[in-house]
Amino acid sequence: MVKPQKAVASFDSATGMLRALSRFLRDQDVPMLGQAPRVLEPVAAAVAGAAARLPRAAKEQAYAVSGWAEAVPLRRVPEIRSEELARWVSGHYPRGPYPVAFLGSSNGALIHLAAALRTPWLPQTLLLPVRRRGVGPDDPRGDLRATREAGQALLAANPDLVLHHMHDANQDRLMIAGMTYFRVKWRRLPQAYRRFLEESLPAGATLVVPECGLRWPVTRVGPRYVFQHGALGGATREEYEHGGPRVADYLSRYGAGRERWDYPPADGDSPEAEWGFEPELLADLEELAARNGWRLVRMRFGEPEELSPVVAELYRDWYRRRGLPGDRLLVECFLLLEPWWALRSGSVPYWMVFNAEQSQRRAMAYLDGTDPFDEIRLMLFSHGVESVGLAGIGDWRRLLARARKVGVFTGVDTRAYPRDFAGLIRAHRELSRIRTTYPMPLPMPWEAAAEFLSKRDEIEWSG
Amino acid sequence: MPLESLVRTALGMKVAVWRSQGPGPPVVCVHGAGVSSRELLPFVREMGVTHDAWSLDLPGFGRSEKPRAPLTVTGLADAVADWLAASELRRPCLLGGSFGCQVAVDLAVRHPGAAGALVLVGPTVDARARSAVRLVGQWLRNSVRESPRMMPLNVADYLDAGPRRVLASFGASMRDRIEDKLPHVTVPVLVVRGGADRMVSQAWAEEVTRLLPRGRLVVMEGLPHMVPYRDPRGLAREVAAFLERAW
């Protein structure tokens, strides 16, 4: 059997969020992305900072190797057990009682909502990186061919899972050089989740299902098996399918020897692999809630970032009611999340799904529609690729210029971005030096949060 | 633009002054502890392209007259205020470098109306790092990042002022509680920090900006403490942009 912590990618949205929130519930911040002891932070920051000066090829190699090192060998994929994964996930959290818990889509804004309420969130989706050889990043068909059998074996051993084999030759270029992305979603509730919830939620509590409605073009491989063409970020669905000038330029810059990708023909769409919610799970959740006397709330939203302004405004409102200025904004990116420091520094959290132009535009739009902030801090995830639609440092500077007093990058080496792995360590380090901090508040009352959330247009609230 | 060298009087003392007269409104530079205008002259030249740029040697330093007892922050601020009035410079932008920020802030708070705007480049001294040992450590860590060409200028400055005055200015810098005055500065202020400055931490530069009612922070990446010497053109651009918005 493969140990769950070996099977699941540690540098993924779901696990990054799980670590940030579970540490928060144990009154801890997130140094070293929650991956290594806090005392190593200064050394690691220095080493990674020096590594940022390496030649580009060496840095790209480092990204690729770090991904490969995390991945499971192809032959061991059938040994992965979904029940073990669920036990590992739920084992992160202290047992309740909690007045409310979340189970569903991964979402950075949701993590801040859960932190404000001091409640856990169980992910529906996990990423299982799988090693494979001899397939270039721009060959999606080859990728599917090489790993399909392993995927089928994984599903045969785990009837409660849906497999979203995801291939993003744009943003994951370096990571998928030696591995592939298997994203699995639970369609049936695993025992470990059930047990955790039953031990942690008293009768009368609320189980909230965050459901991201994002869908994406796929090729159906089998009954519970889809192959996803690209992913949410800088390139559009059309660009993955049919190419275009931006794709051709990108492929020529990376010497791919082709003008567009050749994905197998899409024959439909499905919930997006990383963020989308697979609704089949609802039946089990409804049954469980009814049996335990919990209220089940469905919290539906269209795209991941639709929750970001909602949670940001919820925080701002909450700060003001507590007599704090609420004049600091912490813009976070992908798995760079700091719920503990957001609250200690009195910062309004605004989460971006990734570092692409679309996220930058949405963040700007949020700033357009709210009272100006005195301070804006930006943590940027670096994925190592000059990908299609990447927002450049100039774009981010424009965002920071919206601050009335202090608009600063936090942990970003602007000369190294987007090949700035030191940023992953420095973001926490710099954020934790912030002055003028506030005591950790008592949890936000769930009724107040529910009242606020149910009135927002971005969310379809039922239950 | 040629640099004019003038001598004026302030509080009865002779004060050495440099000027590069550009078309825009006046910008007056105040140097750091123990040093003089020498390190600021490249910046005065650049600033003088667009603005009426000045730099003066504080009494006791560089080529200015030396009062018998070294002046405190307050005494230096009063001298600068007197010189501004005598030179008929109305509400200029006052740019302090390092310890010069402390003089500029003191002046702005105690002589309302004397300065129209402030630029604080590498403001000292971090309220949480007010110890001689710390300060020396920070100074040493920063010095490796400064331009080696600045060293002879520093030596000349220290010789001009003499060890007693140099030490006295460091002492004055340490004792001055700039954080108590910042909330009372009513004019617009640009705070500039070199991204690699080891004497002025990012957290302190942010705190300075936060305490100023009308402060705004600019971080100039990769630069050490002496931003005006290392990137005079870049700083002049930031100051010009700030004044454009402020006035």
Side-chain angles (χ1 to χ4, degrees):
Chain A
M1 200 186 65
V2 185
K3 283 190 188 155
Q5 59 269 40
K6 298 265 184 216
V8 179
S10 54
F11 280 90
D12 179 46
S13 49
T15 34
M17 289 170 189
L18 175 66
R19 282 196 301 268
L21 183 60
S22 59
R23 289 182 70 93
F24 178 86
L25 295 184
R26 296 179 191 279
D27 296 318
Q28 289 180 326
D29 56 346
V30 199
M32 307 281 291
L33 293 169
Q35 291 277 70
R38 181 186 305 270
V39 290
L40 293 180
E41 192 180 64
V43 181
V47 171
R53 300 272 90 80
L54 288 172
R56 175 180 159 172
K59 285 199 278 183
E60 293 187 342
Q61 195 67 33
Y63 270 99
V65 168
S66 71
W68 178 86
E70 271 217 309
V72 181
L74 204 52
R75 62 182 162 76
R76 300 203 63 187
V77 170
E79 299 169 30
I80 297 171
R81 288 294 171 273
S82 112
E83 198 51 57
E84 289 299 316
L85 301 180
R87 192 173 309 149
W88 176 76
V89 170
S90 55
H92 278 71
Y93 292 111
R95 292 288 180 274
Y98 299 106
V100 53
F102 295 90
L103 196 166
S105 291
S106 308
N107 189 290
L110 178 78
I111 295 305
H112 285 286
L113 173 61
L117 297 160
R118 276 196 87 84
T119 57
W121 154 78
L122 299 170
Q124 184 190 31
T125 304
L126 293 176
L127 170 60
L128 312 175
V130 176
R131 280 182 205 168
R132 57 119 173 73
R133 261 188 279 185
V135 181
D138 300 305
D139 179 11
R141 282 177 195 261
D143 186 30
L144 177 56
R145 211 166 30 239
T147 54
R148 181 179 189 148
E149 214 172 296
Q152 276 156 346
L154 176 72
L155 289 175
N158 299 283
D160 54 348
L161 295 181
V162 183
L163 173 58
H164 294 246
H165 180 176
M166 175 177 165
H167 185 103
D168 180 2
N170 184 31
Q171 288 158 141
D172 298 333
R173 164 163 227 97
L174 300 175
M175 297 308 260
I176 63 176
M179 66 174 197
T180 198
Y181 278 18
F182 278 5
R183 279 209 153 86
V184 291
K185 292 186 194 289
W186 275 288
R187 57 190 270 276
R188 304 300 310 268
L189 191 65
Q191 273 304 327
Y193 276 16
R194 189 184 299 263
R195 207 163 38 244
F196 173 80
L197 291 172
E198 287 184 333
E199 285 170 11
S200 300
L201 294 188
T206 307
L207 179 61
V208 183
V209 190
E211 301 177 32
C212 176
L214 185 69
R215 299 182 72 82
W216 210 264
V218 295
T219 306
R220 191 152 288 282
V221 183
R224 288 180 283 126
Y225 192 167
V226 292
F227 181 73
Q228 178 170 313
H229 304 189
L232 182 66
T236 62
R237 293 168 173 82
E238 292 68 34
E239 283 176 314
Y240 284 108
E241 298 289 335
H242 310 296
R246 296 202 304 173
V247 173
D249 173 57
Y250 165 78
L251 289 171
S252 105
R253 275 189 281 122
Y254 278 90
R258 56 167 71 227
E259 286 210 331
R260 44 167 293 222
W261 294 296
D262 179 24
Y263 279 97
D267 52 15
D269 66 359
S270 97
E272 198 281 332
E274 187 168 9
W275 313 108
F277 181 74
E278 168 52 61
E280 213 184 323
L281 182 63
L282 274 170
D284 280 3
L285 295 177
E286 278 161 358
E287 182 270 328
L288 182 73
R291 189 145 47 80
N292 287 282
W294 306 331
R295 178 179 160 212
L296 187 88
V297 169
R298 293 179 67 185
M299 195 174 127
R300 278 177 284 181
F301 48 95
E303 287 195 26
E305 283 175 3
E306 284 180 11
L307 271 194
S308 301
V310 177
V311 173
E313 289 299 294
L314 175 68
Y315 263 67
R316 207 169 197 191
D317 189 56
W318 186 34
Y319 286 135
R320 285 174 174 167
R321 276 189 281 121
R322 287 162 50 214
L324 304 186
D327 58 359
R328 282 178 170 166
L329 182 69
L330 175 64
V331 182
E332 300 175 323
C333 185
F334 191 48
L335 60 70
L336 282 172
L337 291 167
E338 254 303 344
W340 196 87
W341 275 109
L343 281 167
R344 286 297 318 273
S345 64
S347 296
V348 170
Y350 179 94
W351 175 75
M352 301 186 299
V353 82
F354 214 60
N355 56 17
E357 287 163 350
Q358 168 178 263
S359 292
Q360 191 266 4
R361 275 199 300 272
R362 274 180 182 264
M364 292 292 262
Y366 167 63
L367 289 171
D368 286 339
T370 187
D371 294 342
F373 286 93
D374 275 359
E375 303 184 18
I376 302 180
R377 283 178 184 73
L378 171 63
M379 313 205 286
L380 265 184
F381 185 80
S382 257
H383 61 311
V385 192
E386 311 259 359
S387 44
V388 174
L390 175 76
I393 286 296
D395 299 315
W396 299 117
R397 281 193 209 283
R398 273 200 296 287
L399 185 141
L400 293 173
R402 294 290 190 89
R404 270 199 299 221
K405 288 187 157 186
V406 177
V408 288
F409 290 107
T410 295
V412 183
D413 179 344
T414 53
R415 289 166 299 173
Y417 171 84
R419 284 176 282 271
D420 171 29
F421 23 63
L424 297 172
I425 300 160
R426 283 194 183 141
H428 166 270
R429 192 167 162 73
E430 290 187 9
L431 188 63
S432 66
R433 289 180 177 155
I434 196 169
R435 294 198 189 164
T436 318
T437 51
Y438 305 97
M440 186 59 80
L442 289 173
M444 182 189 288
W446 164 237
E447 298 71 30
E451 160 102 19
F452 183 98
L453 296 168
S454 61
K455 285 184 181 152
R456 293 286 300 212
D457 293 342
E458 296 92 336
I459 299 174
E460 213 179 299
W461 186 267
S462 58
Chain B
M1 189 69 59
L3 216 52
E4 271 180 88
S5 168
L6 311 158
V7 177
R8 299 276 177 89
T9 26
L11 300 179
M13 290 171 285
K14 287 198 168 56
V15 172
V17 184
W18 284 264
R19 182 185 197 185
S20 175
Q21 193 177 359
V27 175
V28 176
C29 303
V30 183
H31 61 76
V35 291
S36 77
S37 291
R38 278 191 183 97
E39 291 84 347
L40 293 171
L41 295 183
F43 171 72
V44 173
R45 278 199 185 86
E46 286 295 340
M47 198 73 239
V49 175
T50 52
H51 288 69
D52 184 12
W54 299 75
S55 182
L56 80 162
D57 285 353
L58 293 169
F61 301 96
R63 300 203 192 157
S64 286
E65 193 180 326
K66 296 176 178 47
R68 199 164 298 153
L71 296 182
T72 58
V73 171
T74 305
L76 293 170
D78 289 346
V80 175
D82 192 54
W83 174 78
L84 288 178
S87 306
E88 297 190 342
L89 284 166
R90 287 202 182 79
R91 297 181 63 81
C93 168
L94 218 52
L95 180 145
S98 193
F99 170 66
C101 299
Q102 293 174 257
V103 176
V105 165
D106 193 83
L107 184 150
V109 172
R110 291 178 40 261
H111 298 268
L118 299 187
V119 177
L120 306 180
V121 186
T124 51
V125 171
D126 185 343
R128 292 198 192 171
R130 214 174 257 135
S131 93
V133 175
R134 251 198 160 148
L135 224 52
V136 170
Q138 289 176 346
W139 181 80
L140 285 172
R141 281 180 67 204
N142 177 72
S143 58
V144 297
R145 293 161 184 267
E146 296 288 0
S147 163
R149 278 178 303 167
M150 197 172 69
M151 182 110 77
L153 306 184
N154 290 155
V155 170
D157 283 336
Y158 294 149
L159 288 175
D160 278 349
R164 189 168 69 101
R165 281 200 177 77
V166 172
L167 286 177
S169 66
F170 282 117
S173 173
M174 289 260 294
R175 280 188 298 277
D176 177 51
R177 295 182 179 249
I178 190 173
E179 68 275 17
D180 296 342
K181 302 176 199 173
L182 294 168
H184 303 285
V185 178
T186 52
V187 296
V189 186
L190 178 71
V191 180
V192 180
R193 172 176 184 260
D197 187 342
R198 290 290 173 269
M199 297 190 70
V200 177
S201 69
Q202 177 69 22
W204 167 243
E206 289 179 13
E207 183 76 356
V208 167
T209 315
R210 191 172 300 132
L211 288 169
L212 289 160
R214 299 170 70 187
R216 192 178 170 83
L217 175 68
V218 164
V219 178
M220 294 182 67
E221 280 166 39
L223 296 181
H225 187 56
M226 278 302 288
V227 170
Y229 190 77
R230 276 295 289 276
D231 188 6
R233 184 167 295 176
L235 180 60
R237 204 165 36 228
E238 292 290 353
V239 173
F242 160 66
L243 292 178
E244 183 96 352
R245 279 196 307 269
W247 282 334

